[in-house]
Amino acid sequence: MRFELFLAARYLRAKRRQAVVGVVTTISVAGVAAGVAALVIALAITNGMKSDLEDRLVDTTAHVQLMSTANEGIRNWQPLLEKLRHVPHVVAASPGLYEQVLVARGPRDGGALVEGILPNDEKKVSGMLAGSTPGALDALQPQPTAAGAPCSTLPPIVLGKDLAETVGATVGDSVMLISPQGEMTPMGVIPKYVRFRLAGIFHSGFYQYDAQMGFVRLADAQCLFDEPDLLSVISFRIDNLDHAPEVGRAIEQAAGHGYMSTNWMEQNRELFRALKLEQVVSFIVIALIVMVAALNILIALTMMVMEKTRDIAVMMSFGVDPGQVRRIFLLQGLLISVIGTGIGLVLGYAASWAGGHYHFIHLSAEVYSIDTLPFAPRLIDGVLVAAVSIGVSLLATLYPSYSASKILPAEALRYE
């Protein structure tokens, strides 16, 4: 062991003439450990939130969507759909027609975005209906109808769990859909009223979808909105999520002029930006704990220099140069930081593992869209936290180590 490191370790273990120095040193180690553990846990939570939301969004929504730039919908969509299925990296495609409506049952009502779908295609693109009640997808299967035939009588609809609770409907009940796309009369446009049978309820895990979405058969949606043979959007699932923008541009080129695409990254950009900002703010705020611990290290080393003034003078009179004295106290601060950082990393990763494994922290799904607090600790976060902790602590050792190296042996030993 080097001379400086040997003395630094010995000074930490030695009994104090002043007990307060040992107490402040212990508090310094505990402060560094608490700050590091809090940082690791905070970063694990924000990473878990991001990963969990991203996984759920990817599973429940389409990766890429194509729509008309003129907001007139997509007509003659069958040949276009078959053509776009063969675009490279496209795994599945599904047509959809959606409109904002009012869902009512008796005196209770709620706004909803109702989408007309082909269930066999939709389940290949989106997992939104994967958690629906038994028989819901079968009820939405298209029925053979003659061209120009009137709308179905009491057609089926599948509503989100929270939306169904809002209107007070259960499976088998009838609900009224009120569409603003009504008929033109001398009195103006009169909303269209169509009664549907609640064939199923889905639960996606996202409150925004469960409280505001419903699904009907594509033909029933076209009839409800008076838009025969029209689509609002064509949804796609691709083989690589990270290439969604590039695949979207390829789909636009294949579709031709008059179409634009969007993807899951663009649709949720603000959400992930907010999570990233939350992660940065959490890091900065909790890092203040490490800074407080660094001040404790500064105080502890300053008091130790004052306590060891005579020892330093004796060593320097024996030929120890000021640089060696400076390194002794730098290494002592480094030891305090490393010990505290090591304890904090162990505590932080242990707490993050326990939280992710046992899910003992529950959340309100209406507020956070998820029901338990997720933890996703990463190795790179531990390395970053350790580097910041040790770096800040070393900065706190500069002044006391410099002061120790400037002690004059003659002045220190004059009255000994």
Side-chain angles (χ1 to χ4, degrees):
M1 184 182 297
R2 293 187 59 180
F3 164 70
E4 297 92 337
L5 182 58
F6 172 79
L7 278 183
R10 186 177 179 85
Y11 281 170
L12 281 180
R13 298 194 306 267
K15 292 183 179 179
R16 307 290 179 202
R17 292 195 296 268
Q18 296 179 355
V20 67
V21 179
V23 172
V24 173
T25 302
T26 303
I27 292 174
S28 301
V29 174
V32 172
V36 169
L39 272 174
V40 170
I41 293 172
L43 293 177
I45 291 173
T46 54
N47 289 330
M49 292 282 287
K50 180 178 183 297
S51 299
D52 191 80
L53 288 174
E54 184 174 308
D55 292 342
R56 292 195 183 197
L57 283 170
V58 167
D59 289 339
T60 57
T61 60
H63 298 166
V64 179
Q65 290 186 321
L66 182 74
M67 58 199 71
S68 171
T69 56
N71 294 323
E72 297 177 352
I74 302 174
R75 301 187 183 278
N76 192 26
W77 56 271
Q78 290 93 341
L80 178 63
L81 179 64
E82 292 303 319
K83 175 183 177 182
L84 297 180
R85 289 184 195 272
H86 299 92
V87 173
H89 305 291
V90 170
V91 176
S94 174
L97 173 64
Y98 55 81
E99 189 68 55
Q100 195 76 34
V101 301
L102 187 70
V103 181
R105 184 174 185 270
R108 302 172 65 175
D109 58 64
L113 183 67
V114 172
E115 182 175 4
I117 60 170
L118 298 177
N120 290 338
D121 291 338
E122 184 68 19
K123 66 183 181 182
K124 297 177 183 177
V125 170
S126 166
M128 189 81 71
L129 293 173
S132 57
T133 54
L137 285 174
D138 294 335
L140 295 180
Q141 293 295 334
Q143 302 295 319
T145 55
C151 299
S152 306
T153 303
L154 208 62
I157 186 173
V158 178
L159 296 178
K161 174 178 176 292
D162 296 285
L163 179 58
E165 292 177 354
T166 298
V167 301
T170 58
V171 176
D173 292 340
S174 65
V175 295
M176 182 72 72
L177 261 64
I178 305 171
S179 171
Q181 302 295 329
E183 298 179 355
M184 179 62 69
T185 68
M187 303 295 294
V189 178
I190 298 179
K192 190 171 186 178
Y193 297 81
V194 178
R195 190 170 294 279
F196 280 74
R197 174 179 58 86
L198 185 57
I201 295 173
F202 72 88
H203 177 61
S204 67
F206 280 101
Y207 179 74
Q208 291 82 353
Y209 294 135
D210 294 340
Q212 300 176 3
M213 284 208 69
F215 294 92
V216 298
R217 293 184 298 215
L218 179 59
D220 294 330
Q222 291 172 336
C223 183
L224 173 65
F225 305 139
D226 289 328
E227 296 288 359
D229 198 35
L230 181 74
L231 295 183
S232 301
V233 65
I234 299 178
S235 302
F236 301 89
R237 179 163 288 263
I238 62 177
D239 56 6
N240 192 326
L241 297 176
D242 296 331
H243 295 161
E246 293 81 1
V247 176
R249 287 191 289 269
I251 291 174
E252 287 182 22
Q253 293 177 358
H257 179 70
Y259 295 97
M260 60 177 291
S261 67
T262 183
N263 57 73
W264 69 276
M265 295 180 183
E266 296 175 353
Q267 293 170 351
N268 302 284
R269 181 183 291 112
E270 297 302 323
L271 172 62
F272 292 117
R273 185 179 297 170
L275 289 173
K276 183 67 176 178
L277 179 61
E278 180 183 359
Q279 185 179 35
V280 173
V281 172
S282 299
F283 185 91
I284 294 173
V285 171
I286 301 178
L288 295 176
I289 300 176
V290 178
M291 297 182 65
V292 172
L295 292 178
N296 287 331
I297 294 175
L298 172 63
I299 295 171
L301 291 181
T302 301
M303 296 177 68
M304 196 170 297
V305 170
M306 296 172 61
E307 183 186 42
K308 299 295 184 182
T309 298
R310 186 178 61 180
D311 296 352
I312 295 169
V314 171
M315 286 189 298
M316 294 180 75
S317 66
F318 286 163
V320 176
D321 62 67
Q324 290 177 303
V325 174
R326 184 167 56 250
R327 285 193 292 271
I328 289 172
F329 290 95
L330 283 173
L331 289 172
Q332 190 170 353
L334 178 63
L335 287 175
I336 295 174
S337 175
V338 169
I339 293 171
T341 300
I343 295 173
L345 289 175
V346 171
L347 293 176
Y349 278 102
S352 298
W353 176 86
H357 186 74
Y358 294 106
H359 302 290
F360 50 78
I361 302 179
H362 297 278
L363 300 174
S364 173
E366 290 82 358
V367 178
Y368 298 100
S369 298
I370 51 179
D371 51 7
T372 60
L373 190 64
F375 291 81
R378 300 185 305 180
L379 179 61
I380 186 63
D381 290 336
V383 174
L384 177 62
V385 170
V388 170
S389 173
I390 294 174
V392 171
S393 301
L394 283 178
L395 288 176
T397 65
L398 294 179
Y399 172 73
S401 61
Y402 175 79
S403 299
S405 67
K406 292 301 180 181
I407 291 176
L408 299 175
E411 292 293 331
L413 298 175
R414 173 176 296 179
Y415 301 105
E416 295 296 333

